Amino acid sequence: MSFSGDVKNELAGVDTQARHCMIAELAAFVMLSGSAEETESGSVLRVRTENEAAARKLFTLLQRAFNIDIALHREQDSRHGGGVFRIEDPDRVRAVLAACGHETVLRKECCKRAFLRGAFLAAGSVSDPEKSYHLEVVCPDRGTAAVVRDAMKETGLTPRIVLRKKNHVVYLKEGDQIVALLGAMGASISFLNIENVRVLKEMRGSVNRRVNCETANLNKTVVSAVRQIEEIRFIRDNGGFGELTPQLREMAEIRLAHPEAPLTELGSFLNPRIGKSGVNHRLRKLCAYAEDLRRRTETS
Ligand SMILES: [Zn+2]
């Protein structure tokens, strides 16, 4: 299953406890994928669910908050395991719409989270965090999008809205914000999964940077070894070896004999052996001597 499907499955399984939260969650379903219609026998409320997880949640919410058994009115949509739920009893339609439309629906913190959970179940999707960070809720109109956006904002997020065809899409683009929303909605397993991916991604990034840095250092080492060897050859070919102190001459010969050896290894070939900084010091002296010799041979 997709990451989005996993999240929805998990959210559908979150047990919404308080009735105020149930109503907030239900209000999201009604706002995002509901439609009310007047018929001869009274008003009918239709709520479309796009998958099995959302259908299961909607069924439970209506039953527990309003004692409505919509299983009887479920028109199966076999493609996605979702379907359209119909509530035909006018009194019940009125009761649901009044409760969901009440101004206090989103007042409590817990209810905002339940509302966002319902919104995601009804019309949300999230991309696989391995590939990209994108979470969105597709809203049918500007007003609904504003409600979803504000609920996210009040949870500390910074969502944006984009118009796509006829829909107003509320979306998040940052990994840490998507993680925060999953946590707020109660998807703790998905929360951990995406957090792991995020940490892993960051780790990979920093490992790559470190590897690049080490490669750069290695290149620098190779470049300086090549330069040292050129300088020592210049000294040798211009009869400079005779002018060197015994220590520098030994250093020069060992550098030429082991062109690829790192400095610490070069030091171990000397008698007595010396450390990396000692080797570095002698090689620098050799290079300085080569420069001096070059100046002298050029002017003479
Ligand atoms: Zn609540």
Side-chain angles (χ1 to χ4, degrees):
M1 191 181 271
S2 65
F3 182 73
S4 206
D6 288 340
V7 172
K8 284 192 178 182
N9 254 341
E10 196 188 353
L11 290 178
V14 173
D15 187 17
T16 309
Q17 298 273 344
R19 188 163 189 270
H20 42 82
C21 293
M22 289 181 196
I23 289 169
E25 196 166 357
L26 202 53
F29 274 102
V30 172
M31 282 176 78
L32 288 156
S33 41
S35 62
E37 193 187 313
E38 293 300 323
T39 64
E40 280 174 15
S41 53
S43 49
V44 173
L45 177 64
R46 281 194 175 77
V47 184
R48 175 178 292 280
T49 55
E50 53 182 29
N51 63 17
E52 178 60 36
R56 210 161 58 230
K57 186 69 177 183
L58 181 60
F59 172 75
T60 312
L61 288 172
L62 281 167
Q63 197 177 44
R64 286 177 60 198
F66 293 95
N67 200 24
I68 297 174
D69 188 355
I70 51 165
L72 296 172
H73 306 292
R74 180 169 166 182
E75 296 165 0
Q76 188 69 41
D77 174 356
S78 56
R79 268 186 313 147
H80 304 101
V84 179
F85 290 87
R86 281 207 327 264
I87 306 167
E88 292 180 326
D89 178 347
D91 289 339
R92 285 178 158 162
V93 171
R94 209 173 304 121
V96 171
L97 290 180
C100 291
H102 201 272
E103 57 178 36
T104 60
V105 163
L106 289 178
R107 192 160 290 170
K108 288 184 157 85
E109 202 55 48
C110 54
C111 295
K112 278 174 198 143
R113 291 199 292 268
F115 176 82
L116 288 171
R117 182 162 63 236
F120 188 84
L121 276 169
S125 64
V126 57
S127 63
D128 185 340
E130 288 272 14
K131 293 177 187 125
S132 64
Y133 293 130
H134 183 89
L135 182 148
E136 65 177 41
V137 177
V138 179
C139 304
D141 54 73
R142 188 185 300 273
T144 307
V147 174
V148 173
R149 180 198 57 202
D150 292 348
M152 283 190 191
K153 272 189 176 170
E154 284 162 27
T155 314
L157 307 171
T158 49
R160 272 162 287 179
I161 297 181
V162 64
L163 192 64
R164 189 190 299 151
K165 289 174 191 166
K166 282 183 296 178
N167 296 314
H168 296 255
V169 181
V170 183
Y171 68 96
L172 295 172
K173 269 282 176 215
E174 289 80 25
D176 55 346
Q177 297 222 357
I178 293 172
V179 169
L181 180 60
L182 290 178
M185 294 190 299
S188 49
I189 298 170
S190 306
F191 169 90
L192 286 177
N193 286 344
I194 193 170
E195 186 62 359
N196 287 343
V197 169
R198 213 164 64 90
V199 169
L200 210 65
K201 266 188 176 175
E202 272 170 19
M203 224 169 68
R204 278 189 207 130
S206 78
V207 167
N208 281 343
R209 276 193 296 280
R210 202 154 59 221
V211 168
N212 287 342
C213 186
E214 274 166 12
T215 314
N217 278 337
L218 194 66
N219 285 339
K220 234 161 57 191
T221 309
V222 170
V223 166
S224 55
V226 167
R227 185 171 162 252
Q228 288 153 8
I229 290 164
E230 274 174 7
E231 298 293 72
I232 292 167
R233 280 189 186 139
F234 177 80
I235 298 170
R236 184 193 61 193
D237 298 346
N238 288 280
F241 268 18
E243 287 183 22
L244 296 174
T245 62
Q247 281 151 337
L248 283 185
R249 175 157 186 171
E250 190 191 10
M251 185 74 254
E253 282 167 349
I254 282 171
R255 173 80 277 186
L256 288 182
H258 306 279
E260 279 162 19
L263 299 189
T264 38
E265 209 180 313
L266 287 179
S268 71
F269 294 132
L270 295 169
N271 188 20
R273 60 187 299 157
I274 59 170
K276 187 177 168 180
S277 64
V279 171
N280 207 15
H281 178 71
R282 289 187 192 182
L283 287 170
R284 241 184 283 137
K285 268 189 153 174
L286 281 169
C287 288
Y289 176 74
E291 253 174 62
D292 183 48
L293 183 62
R294 187 173 287 118
R295 215 175 306 123
R296 279 188 281 145
T297 43
E298 275 167 7
T299 49
S300 62

